[in-house]
């Protein structure tokens, strides 16, 4: 029985319906569904390190509209939520919130309690940082992430995400750790994971290695220094060959201050180079020029002596050298940037590293520096930061007259860790890698092919995936020297001298997972053997957060843990995410799926754009320009905020616009009022007619509306099929305003019984069907207000109802009068315009209205005459056919005011 409230409101709907949905299990996944009935979504697990912002609301709303549509279209939707709660962002938040610092040398304190002043920045600053053990620090991470996760879930529920909350996971929970460690051990067993000591990008602030995918270029001031190397006129030993490796790439990749140095022959007994990093002269191992550069071809195979330090180094050829940059010949140091690493590897050069993990010059000089003058020069930079070492090196070069002219100031791109605030350095360290095609052409091509197995929305985003793979210059570094993460599940035996035997790692039994080698002992040992000769050491590193996040399909679908769920949900149907993490999350997930399962992890990739601030800059916490959603949700309501988000086109960056939320709120209120009006008019017909009345309507205006609805359903269905939720919303909203502004106004009189019971019945039936259809079409976007209206006259949830059928709507229309509504509405609009321009009330009758139009339009107006007369309060309506008239011409004679 229809029960319409006296004063319907959008306020309070979130709390009312989110609780009801959870109680009734509306979004609970049905595990009896077969794989062909399931639509599975690889939901992005947001980073739990503070608060969600409007960028999250934007993209997660897009996902939810697709999920709701697929559910109504008949799929069993698998839609879990995860929390990405390990890694640097969480560590930083814990450090700042509690005012603590992790010191792995401290013992675990079983009685340690979280600082009572946590969250009080003033109190924390006053007392200073507390040093705590690694285990105590990890415990605090768990405490704070649990609090954040609770707040995140509450906000997602308020927004109306239709996820199955019973299937929530956290990337640091025991099950996820077990899956991540098991996947790593399988990579190791198949030879896809390997450990080497090699140069790696290093963030000195966080004290950890950084992967290529986590880099970003930032413009920083610098200076070119022209420096003179003395020629020795001796052959360069085994380095006289020309090495053309590098595929002809011409880029210079500057890490940590931009080592992009270039050179030129000066006087006959010297070679001049230009470098932005003179502090690395002590690490110089060669000079290099392009093999086709005629200026330097006579020097290939000879040697020069480094300024200040007097070390003899060869002059070599390589295609990565850029003849047109600076002096055309470059100083190779170990290591100033990633190009140095390429040259070092391909030219088989020695290592002469001088930068430590703190970003300072190591105290012991490289063995190659042996002269008294060289040792004295090194003493002056030993222990200094790179900045201070640079200033000291420039001063010394001036003293020895090896600095040519004044430094030339420039601005150049410098490599940073995306979460860091100091330039990266390259240090030699032992790290774990997973093969990703960066050094394997066959694997690279296979991963590119995997991209073609996915359908991209929008399609052009696939090129970003392909371009990233083609630009890789190394494998995926997955180990991190941090604390709160999934531990590398390995130990290493110690020989009789207590040295680790790296090539024979001790692997845990699968049944023991997850393990923490820093506190657990391997099988056959107890903890007394830790660090002792003949004993073992545990791997202290944790996995990169992407090494776990890259397994979200495996985690969500129950790989190796729940075979039944795995068979019903994998490969997944949809990966929604932002376009800026194609290179990280999307690509790394494709790598893991390819290596483990020989398949693409999903069928569809749906990409969202960024949210931009008023200055058209991306909103991000690091820029300090984010807007948090809580106040907006409270002010405008979830449906209004979702309306704003759903207007953002797939893959397109969208400006934050509070005005759109105001429009969304007005739309929700209008939907309430239109529904109340329609259902009140329809009366019992709303209950009896349902969405599929027994017989078609006969009125031309009603038939035209239903035909238009059928077209709308086809259009929105096609749009959702292309994952274009914005187009579906746009078309539905346009039709809704036509329905309220035109159709309802035209049928009011008939619906009230002014043209008899049979005519009223058609109006009631059409109002009912139109409202039913529009509510279903709006449901993915405005879930709360549509559920509220549905409850006035329908059983169950609208979100469990079927998607409307265009065929049923077409069958309900007795004939094709699709143009009747538009032409009639156009004439009504002109009649009202005349009254408004005459400053008369719309209730004032029009004594006489003459419409001149084409014969086809006149025929339609004859069919809708009664509705037009009633709505326009027209006394006498004359219709004249004229083939020369393109659009109806309306002449109005108004009656008296009284």
């Amino acid at each position: 029985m229809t029960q319409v409230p006296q004063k319907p409101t959008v306020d309070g709907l979130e709390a009312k319906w989110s609780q009801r949905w959870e109680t009734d299990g509306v979004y609970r996944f049905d595990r009896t569904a077969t794989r062909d009935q399931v639509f599975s979504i690889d939901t992005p697990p947001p980073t739990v390190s503070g608060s969600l912002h409007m960028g999250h609301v934007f993209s997660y709303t897009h996902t939810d509209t697709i999920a709701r549509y697929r559910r109504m279209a008949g799929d069993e939707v698998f839609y879990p939520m995860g929390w990405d709660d390990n890694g640097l962002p969480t560590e930083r938040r814990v450090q700042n919130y509690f005012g603590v610092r992790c010191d792995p040398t401290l013992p675990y304190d079983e009685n340690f309690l979280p600082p009572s002043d946590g969250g009080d920045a003033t109190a924390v600053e006053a007392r200073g940082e507390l040093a705590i053990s690694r285990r105590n620090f990890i415990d605090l991470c768990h405490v704070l992430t649990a609090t954040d996760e609770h707040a995140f879930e509450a906000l997602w529920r308020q927004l109306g995400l239709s996820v199955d909350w019973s299937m929530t996971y956290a990337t640091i929970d025991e099950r996820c750790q077990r899956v991540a460690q098991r996947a790593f051990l399988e990579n190791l067993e198949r030879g896809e994971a390997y450990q080497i000591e090699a140069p790696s990008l290093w963030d000195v602030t966080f004290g950890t290695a950084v992967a290529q995918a986590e880099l970003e270029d930032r413009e920083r001031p610098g200076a070119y220094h022209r420096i003179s190397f003395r020629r020795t006129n001796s052959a360069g030993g085994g380095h006289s060959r020309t090495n053309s490796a590098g595929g002809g790439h011409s880029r210079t990749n500057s890490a940590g201050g931009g080592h992009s140095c270039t050179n030129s022959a000066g006087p006959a007994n010297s070679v001049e180079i230009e470098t932005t990093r003179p502090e690395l002269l002590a690490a110089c191992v060669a000079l290099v020029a392009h093999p086709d550069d005629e200026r330097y071809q006579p020097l290939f195979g000879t040697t020069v002596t480094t300024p200040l330090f007097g070390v003899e180094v060869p002059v070599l050829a390589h295609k990565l050298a850029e003849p047109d940059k600076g002096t055309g010949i470059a100083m190779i140091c170990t290591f100033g940037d990633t190009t140095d690493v390429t040259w070092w590897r391909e030219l088989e050069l020695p290592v002469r590293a001088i930068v430590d993990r703190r970003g300072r010059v190591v105290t012991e000089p490289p063995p190659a520096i042996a002269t008294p003058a060289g040792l004295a020069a090194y003493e002056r930079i030993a222990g200094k930061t790179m900045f201070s070492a640079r200033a000291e090196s420039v001063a010394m070069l001036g003293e020895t007259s090896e600095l040519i002219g004044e430094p030339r100031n420039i601005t150049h791109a410098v490599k940073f860790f995306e979460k860091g605030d100091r330039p990266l350095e390259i240090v030699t360290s032992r790290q774990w890698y997973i093969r990703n095609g960066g050094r394997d052409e066959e694997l690279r091509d296979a991963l590119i092919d995997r991209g073609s197995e996915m359908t991209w929305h929008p399609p052009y985003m696939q090129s970003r995936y392909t371009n990233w793979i083609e630009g890789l210059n190394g494998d995926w570094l997955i180990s991190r020297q941090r604390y709160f993460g999934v531990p590398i599940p390995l130990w290493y035996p110690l020989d009789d001298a207590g040295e680790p035997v790296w090539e024979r790692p001790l692997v845990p039994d699968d049944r023991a997972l997850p393990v923490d080698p820093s506190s657990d002992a391997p099988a056959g040992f107890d903890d007394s053997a830790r660090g002792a000769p003949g004993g073992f050491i545990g791997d202290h590193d944790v996995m990169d957060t992407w090494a776990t996040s890259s397994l979200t399909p495996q985690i969500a679908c129950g790989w190796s843990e729940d075979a039944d769920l795995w068979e019903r949900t994998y490969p997944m149907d949809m990966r929604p995410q932002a376009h800026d993490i194609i290179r990280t999350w999307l690509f790394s997930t494709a790598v893991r799926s390819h290596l483990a399962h020989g398949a693409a992890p999903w069928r569809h990739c749906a990409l969202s754009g960024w949210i931009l601030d008023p200055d058209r800059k991306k909103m991000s916490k690091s820029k300090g320009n984010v807007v948090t959603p809580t106040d907006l949700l409270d002010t405008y309501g979830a449906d209004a905020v979702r309306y704003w988000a759903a207007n953002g086109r797939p893959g397109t960056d969208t400006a934050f616009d509070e005005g759109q939320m105001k429009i969304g709120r007005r739309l929700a209120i209008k939907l309430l009022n239109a529904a109340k009006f329609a259902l009140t008019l329809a009366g019992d017909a709303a209950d009896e007619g349902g969405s599929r009345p027994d017989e078609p309507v006969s009125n031309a205006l009603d038939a035209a509306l239903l035909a238009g609805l059928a077209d709308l359903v086809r259009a929105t269905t096609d749009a959702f099929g292309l994952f274009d939720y914005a187009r579906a919303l746009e078309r539905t909203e346009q039709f809704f305003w036509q329905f309220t502004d035109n159709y309802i106004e035209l049928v009011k009189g008939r619906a009230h019984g002014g043209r008899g019971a049979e005519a009223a019945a058609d109006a009631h039936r059409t109002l009912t069907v139109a409202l039913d259809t529009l509510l279903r079409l709006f449901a993915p976007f405005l879930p709360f207000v549509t559920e509220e209206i549905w409850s006035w006259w329908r059983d169950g949830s609208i979100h469990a109802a079927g998607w409307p059928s265009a065929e049923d709507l077409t069958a309900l229309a007795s004939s094709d009068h699709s143009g009747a509504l538009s032409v009639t509405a156009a004439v009504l609009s002109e009649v009202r315009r005349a009254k408004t321009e005459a400053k008369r009330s719309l209730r004032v009758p029009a004594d006489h209205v003459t419409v001149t139009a084409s014969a086809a339009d006149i025929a339609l107006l004859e069919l809708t005459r009664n509705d037009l007369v009633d709505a326009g309060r027209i006394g006498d309506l004359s219709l004249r056919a004229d083939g020369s008239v393109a659009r109806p011409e309306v002449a109005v004679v108004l009656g008296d005011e009284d």
Side-chain angles (χ1 to χ4, degrees):
M1 181 177 180
T2 303
Q3 295 183 341
V4 181
Q6 286 295 318
K7 295 182 178 180
T9 177
V10 297
D11 296 329
L13 296 183
E14 294 86 356
K16 172 182 178 180
W17 289 110
S18 61
Q19 181 59 51
R20 183 79 63 83
W21 292 334
E22 181 64 23
T23 301
D24 295 347
V26 172
Y27 309 126
R28 196 67 51 84
F29 176 63
D30 181 2
R31 291 188 54 144
T32 65
T34 58
R35 182 64 191 90
D36 61 333
Q37 298 171 322
V38 171
F39 186 85
S40 54
I41 302 173
D42 187 15
T43 318
T47 301
V48 183
S49 58
S51 59
L52 294 166
H53 57 75
M54 290 307 294
H56 294 103
V57 167
F58 182 69
S59 58
Y60 283 76
T61 297
H62 299 167
T63 306
D64 191 61
T65 62
I66 300 295
R68 289 181 178 278
Y69 162 73
R70 300 298 304 213
R71 192 179 289 113
M72 295 179 74
D75 291 332
E76 185 59 41
V77 176
F78 178 67
Y79 188 15
M81 178 60 69
W83 310 120
D84 191 8
D85 46 13
N86 69 75
L88 280 171
T90 299
E91 289 189 19
R92 293 179 73 178
R93 175 158 161 72
V94 169
Q95 290 168 351
N96 295 331
Y97 185 89
F98 288 114
V100 296
R101 174 175 54 84
C102 181
D103 184 348
T105 66
L106 294 176
Y108 177 62
D109 181 356
E110 294 182 356
N111 299 315
F112 177 78
L113 296 175
S116 59
D117 57 1
D120 185 340
T122 303
V124 167
E125 183 178 3
R127 67 162 162 83
E129 278 189 338
L130 301 175
I132 61 175
S133 73
R134 175 174 177 163
R135 285 182 62 189
N136 290 128
F137 181 78
I138 290 173
D139 288 345
L140 283 185
C141 290
H142 283 294
V143 168
L144 198 55
T145 54
T147 302
D148 288 344
E149 287 163 9
H150 179 75
F152 279 28
E153 180 177 333
L155 189 141
W156 282 150
R157 288 181 182 273
Q158 184 179 2
L159 184 64
L161 297 192
S162 60
V163 304
D164 183 348
W165 291 105
S166 70
M167 309 198 81
T168 304
Y169 64 85
T171 57
I172 200 64
D173 67 28
E174 185 173 297
R175 180 174 69 89
C176 290
Q177 288 198 48
R178 189 164 55 244
V179 170
Q181 290 186 340
R182 182 177 293 127
F184 169 80
L185 292 174
E186 289 195 4
N187 290 135
L188 180 64
E189 184 178 4
R190 292 192 298 263
E192 298 151 359
Y194 63 93
Q195 184 188 47
I196 58 170
E197 183 159 357
S200 57
L201 290 158
W202 189 269
D203 186 282
V204 297
T205 300
F206 294 110
T208 185
V210 175
Q212 182 181 353
E214 299 171 304
L215 307 182
E216 65 181 31
D217 287 332
R218 300 179 192 171
E219 290 295 317
R220 288 293 184 270
Y224 273 126
H225 304 79
R226 182 169 289 228
I227 301 170
S228 176
F229 282 65
R230 188 174 69 255
R231 294 181 60 184
T232 63
N233 296 318
S234 63
H239 287 288
S240 59
R241 69 186 182 280
T242 296
N243 191 318
S244 59
H249 296 295
S250 60
R251 67 179 183 277
T252 298
N253 197 342
S254 302
H259 165 54
S260 51
C261 44
T262 49
N263 332 67
S264 173
N269 64 342
S270 69
V271 179
E272 293 177 4
I273 70 121
E274 282 190 344
T275 179
T276 59
R277 301 204 65 180
E279 70 276 15
L280 293 178
L281 274 167
C284 179
V285 292
L287 299 187
V288 64
H290 195 278
D292 298 333
D293 194 330
E294 295 180 355
R295 294 172 296 174
Y296 300 108
Q297 286 175 345
L299 298 181
F300 297 149
T302 68
T303 63
V304 294
T305 302
T306 61
L308 301 181
F309 304 103
V311 177
E312 192 173 342
V313 298
V315 181
L316 305 173
H318 194 285
K319 283 190 174 180
L320 278 182
E322 300 177 77
D324 58 348
K325 191 166 186 178
T327 61
I329 186 166
M331 174 175 72
I332 303 176
C333 299
T334 54
F335 296 92
D337 60 28
T338 54
T339 307
D340 274 346
V341 175
T342 301
W343 281 327
W344 164 79
R345 183 190 309 119
E346 295 181 356
L347 296 173
E348 300 176 6
L349 296 167
V351 174
R352 202 165 291 153
I354 66 167
V355 184
D356 68 14
R357 293 187 176 192
R358 302 171 303 157
R360 292 178 178 270
V361 178
V362 297
T363 55
E364 290 295 321
I369 300 176
T371 67
L375 292 171
Y378 192 86
E379 181 68 23
R380 291 175 62 174
I381 64 171
K384 292 184 180 294
T385 65
M386 291 296 101
F387 179 83
S388 298
R390 181 177 308 163
E392 188 67 24
S393 297
V394 172
M396 288 191 289
L397 288 166
E399 295 168 8
T400 61
S401 299
E402 291 167 307
L403 179 66
I404 311 300
E406 293 296 319
R408 177 165 54 91
N409 292 330
I410 61 168
T411 299
H412 59 159
V414 179
K415 296 296 182 187
F416 279 75
F417 175 37
E418 60 187 0
K419 295 180 173 64
D421 53 15
R422 293 176 64 183
L424 292 172
E425 297 294 346
I426 295 180
V427 302
T428 299
S429 58
R430 183 171 292 277
Q431 303 289 346
W432 279 99
Y433 296 81
I434 289 179
R435 303 185 192 281
N436 69 352
R439 297 179 181 173
D440 182 336
E441 185 174 351
E442 184 177 346
L443 177 56
R444 182 188 306 122
D445 292 343
L447 290 168
I448 290 173
D449 289 342
R450 290 291 176 213
S452 298
E453 295 175 14
M454 314 168 199
T455 302
W456 297 74
H457 308 280
Y460 65 82
M461 286 293 178
Q462 183 177 356
S463 64
R464 299 195 185 188
Y465 169 86
T466 302
N467 292 342
W468 173 254
I469 297 174
E470 291 176 341
L472 289 170
N473 54 31
D475 285 329
W476 175 16
L477 190 157
I478 67 160
S479 49
R480 295 292 182 272
Q481 292 65 54
R482 299 303 303 172
Y483 314 115
F484 191 52
V486 179
I488 302 286
L490 298 171
W491 301 265
Y492 307 96
L494 299 178
D495 61 19
D496 292 341
E499 293 297 321
V501 184
W502 301 110
E503 62 272 15
R504 290 198 292 111
L506 304 173
V507 179
D509 185 273
D510 184 79
R511 292 168 295 181
L513 299 178
V515 298
D516 185 352
S518 66
S519 56
D520 299 332
F525 295 87
D526 58 39
D527 211 58
S528 64
R530 187 182 298 273
F536 71 93
I537 59 167
D539 198 314
H540 288 281
D541 290 352
V542 298
M543 296 185 202
D544 164 24
T545 185
W546 296 113
T548 305
S549 298
S550 62
L551 296 167
T552 51
Q554 287 81 355
I555 291 169
C557 298
W559 172 73
S560 74
E561 302 266 323
D562 187 336
D564 177 74
L565 182 63
W566 177 254
E567 291 177 359
R568 298 178 193 275
T569 55
Y570 189 87
M572 303 188 83
D573 292 282
M574 176 185 179
R575 157 61 72 82
Q577 65 165 70
H579 60 64
D580 58 321
I581 52 174
I582 289 174
R583 74 187 194 282
T584 49
W585 190 35
L586 194 151
F587 173 62
S588 62
T589 310
V591 169
R592 302 303 285 275
S593 181
H594 172 77
L595 296 177
H597 314 297
W602 339 268
R603 297 183 174 93
H604 296 272
C605 300
L607 286 307
S608 293
W610 290 340
I611 290 302
L612 307 178
D613 67 12
D615 295 327
R616 305 298 295 177
K617 295 179 181 178
K618 177 192 176 186
M619 280 192 179
S620 69
K621 293 179 183 178
S622 62
K623 289 183 172 65
N625 63 350
V626 299
V627 176
T628 55
T630 304
D631 290 344
L632 294 169
L633 288 168
D634 292 341
T635 300
Y636 299 110
D639 285 338
V641 174
R642 289 172 63 101
Y643 170 85
W644 159 76
N647 270 283
R649 299 287 178 189
T652 303
D653 296 342
T654 302
F656 173 75
D657 185 359
E658 202 167 334
Q660 279 272 329
M661 297 175 199
K662 296 177 182 178
I663 295 172
R665 183 173 175 85
R666 287 199 294 269
L667 174 62
I669 293 171
K670 183 68 173 180
L671 193 57
L672 279 176
N673 293 332
K676 178 182 178 181
F677 178 81
L679 292 175
T680 301
L681 278 179
D684 293 340
D687 298 315
E688 297 170 359
S691 61
R692 296 177 176 82
D694 294 334
E695 59 186 44
V697 297
S698 57
N699 182 277
L701 204 62
D702 300 337
L705 181 79
L706 295 173
L709 269 176
D711 290 340
L712 174 64
V713 170
R714 293 186 189 96
T716 54
T717 302
D718 289 344
F720 269 120
L722 297 173
F723 291 66
D724 191 349
Y725 44 82
R727 179 63 173 160
L729 173 59
E730 178 185 49
R731 291 293 302 271
T732 301
E733 185 182 7
Q734 288 173 347
F735 192 95
F736 172 72
W737 289 113
Q738 182 184 12
F739 170 69
T740 57
D741 294 349
N742 296 326
Y743 177 78
I744 286 181
E745 293 302 318
L746 283 165
V747 301
K748 273 183 182 178
R750 180 157 50 94
H752 280 299
R755 295 290 174 177
E758 185 175 346
D762 267 0
H764 297 164
R765 199 155 53 239
T766 305
L767 283 168
T768 301
V769 172
L771 180 62
D772 178 286
T773 303
L774 287 168
L775 286 178
R776 294 176 196 242
L777 296 179
F778 272 127
F781 310 102
L782 312 176
F784 292 104
V785 70
T786 53
E787 187 75 294
E788 172 70 10
I789 297 169
W790 191 261
S791 71
W792 298 348
W793 62 312
R794 293 279 191 257
D795 294 329
S797 171
I798 189 173
H799 304 297
W803 190 248
S805 164
E807 290 72 19
D808 289 346
L809 290 166
T810 300
L812 186 56
S814 58
S815 56
D816 182 11
H817 299 304
S818 55
L821 178 57
S822 59
V823 69
T824 308
V827 172
L828 177 63
S829 177
E830 290 301 314
V831 172
R832 290 182 166 182
R833 184 198 303 275
K835 294 179 181 180
T836 301
E837 290 177 350
K839 298 182 180 180
R840 310 285 282 275
S841 167
L842 295 182
R843 294 182 177 274
V844 171
D847 282 350
H848 188 81
V849 173
T850 301
V851 180
T852 305
S854 66
D857 285 347
I858 293 299
L860 292 174
L861 288 170
E862 288 288 2
L863 295 173
T864 63
R865 173 188 287 272
N866 291 338
D867 289 330
L868 178 58
V869 166
D870 291 343
R873 295 177 177 266
I874 299 171
D876 180 34
L877 176 63
S878 299
L879 303 176
R880 297 170 52 190
D882 185 340
S884 64
V885 177
R887 52 183 300 176
E889 297 175 353
V890 182
V892 181
V893 178
L894 299 178
D896 295 333
E897 185 72 45
D898 296 334

